[in-house]
């Protein structure tokens, strides 16, 4: 891997130099403001320095192939809205967006490549576990000849086992069994139970809701909360990219995450790529002013520091921040990797918020998304988005309830 530094009067200029020299596959490792060396340097405007890297495999610039076409999946997936304008305008806009997205995608993927490498072994194990479990019971492919000889009791046992393997809370399994026994009096096969369960679960999970925009012309303020490392900042960037690139919303970022050294830089990098202003606040009291400064925006997205719910002092500060922000929408971000007990504990700690939406990340890493059902059942809060990968802005969608249910019930269609 070759690593080089580039400077420019602003980030755009420095990025252009990176692109010209290393091509579009270059990975941005960091950006920072620097001053020219020497006494006079302090009198001049700071420059932007970008540290970029490229794999040696990519060879020289001439071998650097144009970025493959990236489909604007998000446009359809997230909202179904379409941009206006002539075909030419549309083409220009799409190519501009494609190159922006490609740049972001490649940046994120490479920066986290090392982390992913470490996860590969664990993922393999989880895949094997999921595969074995799915092999044990595949409701969609159950042989009716075999099941004809099964008693109803066996069928209910099989059904309960699948739900337990999907890490569904026992109390939910019991309620499901009760309900299904009322609905399906004489099941001819276990498939009858799964068909009934499918409808019940779709109903429990309910219709997902994304950001509810204010209608009074004031900016809609949205705050992202949740435990450490669940993907709050990455998800906020994915949502910002969608609203900024696909719906031309004017966005402002506020970060209250000054706890980790790299946290502000992480959001600043997204802010620079998306051309979104960012303010950093150091105390909960500053948030009102930061929000007021964005009165010309449509959407204000607030990133918070991942806080352990077990640390009373940190959590008290978070509560103050939430109270001062008076956000229109609160997203509680939870990772599908969380264990059942941890998830229950976290949810209990966040019950100081009256109204929030559940947002689940790392669906790609979880063998089964049982936690989604457990959390929805326990809180009664709406589902919103799910994310399934590190790629900004692609790996996010409005929660697909049908797919979540199929995955919980291990239905392969
Ligand atoms: N596999 C996978 N990784 C994800 C997903 N969302 C985020 N990540 C990764 O999770 C890691 C943490 O993401 P962040 O966005 O920094 O998480 P955070 O909640 O802001 O972390 P803190 O601010 O430290 O609490 C990064 O490596 C992300 O790329 C996802 O849906 N799937
Ligand atoms: Mg963060």
């Amino acid at each position: 891997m070759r690593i080089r530094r580039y400077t420019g009067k602003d980030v755009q200029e420095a990025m252009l130099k990176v692109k010209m020299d290393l091509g579009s596959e270059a990975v941005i490792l960091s950006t920072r403001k620097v001053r020219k060396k020497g006494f006079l340097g302090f009198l001049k405007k700071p420059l932007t320095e970008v540290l970029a890297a490229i794999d040696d495999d990519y060879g020289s610039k001439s071998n650097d192939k144009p970025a493959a076409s990236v489909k604007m999946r998000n446009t359809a997936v997230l909202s179904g809205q379409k941009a206006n304008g002539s075909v030419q305008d549309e083409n220009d806009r799409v190519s501009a967006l494609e190159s922006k997205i490609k740049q972001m995608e490649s940046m994120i993927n490479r920066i986290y490549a090392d982390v992913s490498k470490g996860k590969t072994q664990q993922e393999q194990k989880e895949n094997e576990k999921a595969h074995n479990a799915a092999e044990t019971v595949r409701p969609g492919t159950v042989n009716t000849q075999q099941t004809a000889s099964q008693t109803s009791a066996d069928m209910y046992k099989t059904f309960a086992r699948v739900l337990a393997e999907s890490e569904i809370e026992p109390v939910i399994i019991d309620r499901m069994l009760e309900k299904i026994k009322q609905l399906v009096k004489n099941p001819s096969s276990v498939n009858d139970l799964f068909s009934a369960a499918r409808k019940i679960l779709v109903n429990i999970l309910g219709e997902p809701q994304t950001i509810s925009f204010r209608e009074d012309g004031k900016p809609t303020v949205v705050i992202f909360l949740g435990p450490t490392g669940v993907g709050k900042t990455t998800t906020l960037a994915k949502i910002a990219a969608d609203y900024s690139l696909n719906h031309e919303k004017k966005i402002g970022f506020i970060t209250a995450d000054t706890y980790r050294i790299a946290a502000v830089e992480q959001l600043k990098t997204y802010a620079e790529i998306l051309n979104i202003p960012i303010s950093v606040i150091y105390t909960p009291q500053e948030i009102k002013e930061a929000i007021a400064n964005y009165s010309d925006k449509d959407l204000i997205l607030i990133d918070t520091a991942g806080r352990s719910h077990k640390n009373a002092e940190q959590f008290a500060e978070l509560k103050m921040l939430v109270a001062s922000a008076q956000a229109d929408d609160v997203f509680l971000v939870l990772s599908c990797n969380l264990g059942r007990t941890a998830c229950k504990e976290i949810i209990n700690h966040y019950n100081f918020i009256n109204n929030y939406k559940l947002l689940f990340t790392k669906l790609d890493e979880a063998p089964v998304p049982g936690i989604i059902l457990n959390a929805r059942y326990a809180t009664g809060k709406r589902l919103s988005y799910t994310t399934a990968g590190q790629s900004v802005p692609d790996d996010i969608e409005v929660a697909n309830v049908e797919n979540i249910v199929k995955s919980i019930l291990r239905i392969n269609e």
Side-chain angles (χ1 to χ4, degrees):
M1 176 167 274
R2 282 179 289 148
I3 299 180
R4 292 198 184 144
R5 269 173 219 285
Y6 299 86
T7 46
K9 68 175 182 340
D10 54 24
V11 76
Q12 280 79 9
E13 190 179 283
M15 293 291 267
L16 194 67
K17 286 184 185 168
V18 174
K19 221 170 170 185
M20 302 272 288
D21 196 30
L22 299 181
S24 55
E25 291 298 332
V27 182
I28 308 305
L29 300 177
S30 70
T31 61
R32 65 181 184 133
K33 296 272 183 235
V34 290
R35 288 187 189 273
K36 278 202 176 135
K37 287 206 174 106
F39 174 70
L40 287 176
F42 280 93
L43 301 175
K44 299 219 167 100
K45 252 188 106 188
L47 298 169
T48 298
E49 180 190 89
V50 173
L51 191 64
I54 185 120
D55 263 353
D56 283 326
D57 298 3
Y58 271 94
S60 66
K61 236 181 349 180
S62 53
N63 292 337
D64 200 357
K65 300 208 170 53
S69 174
V70 179
K71 281 207 181 99
M72 289 299 297
R73 183 150 67 83
N74 270 4
T75 317
V77 171
L78 288 173
S79 68
Q81 287 185 21
K82 242 187 149 194
N84 297 322
S86 70
V87 173
Q88 187 54 44
D89 285 346
E90 185 68 11
N91 285 345
D92 290 345
R93 193 169 158 274
V94 168
S95 359
L97 295 181
E98 278 179 348
S99 86
K100 265 187 186 171
I101 288 165
K102 186 72 196 166
Q103 198 183 343
M104 290 164 68
E105 227 179 23
S106 120
M107 182 185 87
I108 304 301
N109 287 343
R110 302 296 185 80
I111 286 176
Y112 290 116
D114 287 347
V115 179
S116 307
K117 256 183 221 157
K119 283 178 185 161
T120 314
Q121 273 187 331
Q122 196 197 339
E123 272 170 11
Q124 228 167 16
K125 270 191 209 151
E126 281 173 354
N127 284 345
E128 271 167 28
K129 206 174 121 201
H131 178 75
N132 291 341
E135 284 299 314
T136 324
V137 184
R138 280 180 195 264
T141 56
V142 165
N143 179 338
T144 35
Q145 291 298 103
Q146 273 176 2
T147 54
S149 60
Q150 273 190 325
T151 63
S152 296
D154 290 337
M155 291 178 204
Y156 283 113
K157 240 192 217 163
T158 305
F159 174 73
R161 198 180 69 228
V162 172
L163 290 190
E165 282 171 359
S166 291
E167 302 221 355
I168 303 303
E169 288 288 348
V171 59
I172 306 179
I173 300 180
D174 290 347
R175 292 290 297 273
M176 291 284 294
L177 286 174
E178 256 174 51
K179 183 112 192 155
I180 288 172
K181 277 178 189 162
Q182 283 167 11
L183 289 172
V184 190
K185 298 280 183 228
N186 292 309
S188 58
S189 82
V190 75
N191 283 347
D192 292 349
L193 307 186
F194 281 100
S195 312
R198 199 165 165 174
K199 287 187 195 129
I200 297 170
L201 290 185
V202 166
N203 225 12
I204 293 179
L205 290 178
E207 189 70 13
Q209 246 182 20
T210 58
I211 294 175
S212 317
F213 278 87
R214 292 176 72 112
E215 286 170 2
D216 59 1
K218 291 187 183 156
T220 301
V221 179
V222 181
I223 190 164
F224 293 76
L225 308 174
T228 52
V230 286
K232 296 178 293 300
T233 308
T234 312
T235 305
L236 179 152
K238 289 172 183 173
I239 291 175
D242 175 55
Y243 279 109
S244 145
L245 302 174
N246 298 328
H247 309 300
E248 286 156 20
K249 294 278 185 204
K250 283 183 278 164
I251 301 179
F253 283 157
I254 297 176
T255 178
D257 188 0
T258 48
Y259 184 70
R260 271 194 311 118
I261 293 170
V264 173
E265 282 307 311
Q266 185 189 5
L267 193 59
K268 267 191 182 164
T269 308
Y270 290 122
E272 279 174 4
I273 292 170
L274 292 166
N275 206 14
I276 289 175
I278 174 166
S279 17
V280 182
I281 58 157
Y282 294 87
T283 63
Q285 292 73 24
E286 291 170 46
I287 199 150
K288 275 199 186 331
E289 194 183 334
I291 292 173
N293 287 340
Y294 282 142
S295 57
D296 60 325
K297 304 291 179 224
D298 302 312
L299 181 60
I300 300 173
L301 301 176
I302 307 172
D303 192 19
T304 60
R307 292 305 203 195
S308 164
H309 54 283
K310 299 199 171 177
N311 183 324
E313 198 185 320
Q314 287 184 353
F315 214 71
E317 194 182 296
L318 184 74
K319 282 183 180 174
M320 272 170 65
L321 182 76
V322 174
S324 310
Q326 295 195 322
D328 300 297
D329 245 346
V330 179
F331 286 93
L332 178 59
V333 184
L334 297 170
S335 160
C336 290
N337 275 337
L338 288 167
R340 234 173 57 195
T341 318
C343 179
K344 255 199 295 201
E345 264 185 39
I346 292 162
I347 283 171
N348 284 341
H349 276 80
Y350 282 90
N351 68 8
F352 71 94
I353 309 165
N354 288 335
N355 219 348
Y356 63 83
K357 290 170 187 162
L358 291 162
L359 194 159
F360 289 93
T361 59
K362 309 197 185 184
L363 207 54
D364 54 315
E365 287 186 350
V368 275
I371 174 194
I372 300 184
L373 177 64
N374 294 341
R376 163 81 179 141
Y377 187 85
T379 63
K381 305 297 180 206
R382 291 273 196 162
L383 302 186
S384 59
Y385 300 95
T386 56
T387 76
Q390 296 178 303
S391 194
V392 177
D394 266 347
D395 294 335
I396 185 165
E397 65 175 10
V398 176
N400 185 328
V401 168
E402 277 286 345
N403 284 350
I404 295 168
V405 169
K406 277 198 262 174
S407 186
I408 290 172
L409 295 176
R410 314 284 171 103
I411 294 174
N412 302 313
E413 283 179 343

